[in-house]
Amino acid sequence: MIDLNRKKGRFIYIDLGAREYDSSIGSWFVKQYPKQNKEFEIYAVEADKAFHKQYESRKGITLLPFAAWIKNETVVFGSKPIVVKDKVWRMRPFGRIEGQKAQDDELAAVTKVEAFDFVDWLERMVGPDDFVVVKMDVEGTEIVLIDELVRRGTICLIDELFMECHFDRYVKCCSGERINRFNYSYNQCYSLFDDLRNMGCVVHQWW
């Protein structure tokens, strides 16, 4: 465990894909993360408007109502449909930056949201003396975000990373058949964690 008493800067927790308060901030970070009596600034990054209202009354939490991305732009935000033979199950738009193709195919449930350049924001908001914890659960966008954090050297500003890597597994849903939802393989996810640790990053798998 890192001795936070040795840190001279601010203490910051950033939740990418925060969802509802009790999804990870309230149920995990506030109650379980070893904060060692330090007061953390908490940032909830969540583009889905369905969750925004519950943060209005939460003291000490700053809501960033955007999708975490590598540019400041409007993006197609949604969830790919589940297609099995001639049946299509459209899921509520949430969690994933899908790209224009998802909107054009008229199958995916999508909406448009504002995204922000998380890498640039992180670079401007924190310094090398700060202690920064990031939880990243962004439905596949983590691959792009990590690549950009490494490319720009900003990954070094994150002291501890909890990340879910969404891989190409089979999910039993809707039809009773097993269907495939992600394009990244388990081996690629394993290699990504391995590469980050070899760089000196403290990274844990988030589920």
Side-chain angles (χ1 to χ4, degrees):
M1 183 185 297
I2 300 169
D3 183 0
L4 299 187
N5 290 314
R6 296 183 178 182
K7 290 290 181 177
K8 299 178 181 179
R10 298 143 60 212
F11 299 92
I12 301 167
Y13 172 64
I14 305 165
D15 195 312
L16 303 183
R19 311 293 287 167
E20 62 270 8
Y21 172 77
D22 283 326
S23 175
S24 51
I25 295 176
S27 63
W28 172 70
F29 186 77
V30 171
K31 292 182 179 179
Q32 299 183 43
Y33 185 82
K35 294 180 282 298
Q36 301 174 42
N37 296 317
K38 302 298 182 183
E39 186 172 345
F40 277 72
E41 299 172 31
I42 299 177
Y43 295 88
V45 179
E46 179 53 61
D48 193 329
K49 294 179 181 179
F51 302 109
H52 290 176
K53 190 173 181 60
Q54 62 185 273
Y55 287 101
E56 292 176 3
S57 60
R58 297 288 179 182
K59 294 181 179 180
I61 300 177
T62 300
L63 172 67
L64 300 178
F66 311 107
W69 188 227
I70 59 172
K71 297 178 183 177
N72 297 318
E73 62 179 352
T74 302
V75 297
V76 176
F77 196 64
S79 183
K80 290 180 181 178
I82 295 171
V83 181
V84 179
K85 297 179 182 177
D86 60 342
K87 294 184 178 180
V88 178
W89 286 267
R90 291 174 176 83
M91 303 179 72
R92 179 177 173 274
F94 75 94
R96 195 182 310 178
I97 295 176
E98 294 284 13
Q100 190 62 40
K101 185 176 183 297
Q103 184 176 31
D104 294 341
D105 68 13
E106 298 183 348
L107 289 175
V110 298
T111 186
K112 285 191 174 181
V113 300
E114 294 304 311
F116 78 120
D117 188 334
F118 170 69
V119 185
D120 176 69
W121 177 86
L122 186 67
E123 207 165 21
R124 289 185 289 105
M125 281 295 295
V126 309
D129 290 333
D130 297 329
F131 181 78
V132 181
V133 180
V134 173
K135 187 225 82 181
M136 187 182 293
D137 184 1
V138 287
E139 302 298 319
T141 306
E142 66 274 0
I143 307 304
V144 179
L145 286 176
I146 291 296
D147 281 349
E148 195 67 8
L149 283 163
V150 171
R151 188 185 73 81
R152 297 194 212 173
T154 319
I155 193 75
C156 298
L157 294 173
I158 299 175
D159 293 272
E160 193 165 17
L161 173 64
F162 294 82
M163 180 180 72
E164 179 169 0
C165 185
H166 295 80
F167 58 89
D168 181 17
R169 56 190 169 190
Y170 287 84
V171 180
K172 192 172 185 178
C173 175
C174 310
S175 66
E177 298 182 37
R178 291 186 178 272
I179 54 88
N180 178 327
R181 289 192 63 199
F182 293 98
N183 297 321
Y184 217 57
S185 72
Y186 176 80
N187 286 339
Q188 285 174 306
C189 280
Y190 186 90
S191 294
L192 178 59
F193 279 101
D194 199 39
D195 289 344
L196 287 171
R197 287 167 182 151
N198 287 336
M199 291 177 199
C201 300
V202 178
V203 58
H204 315 278
Q205 191 164 357
W206 178 267
W207 293 98

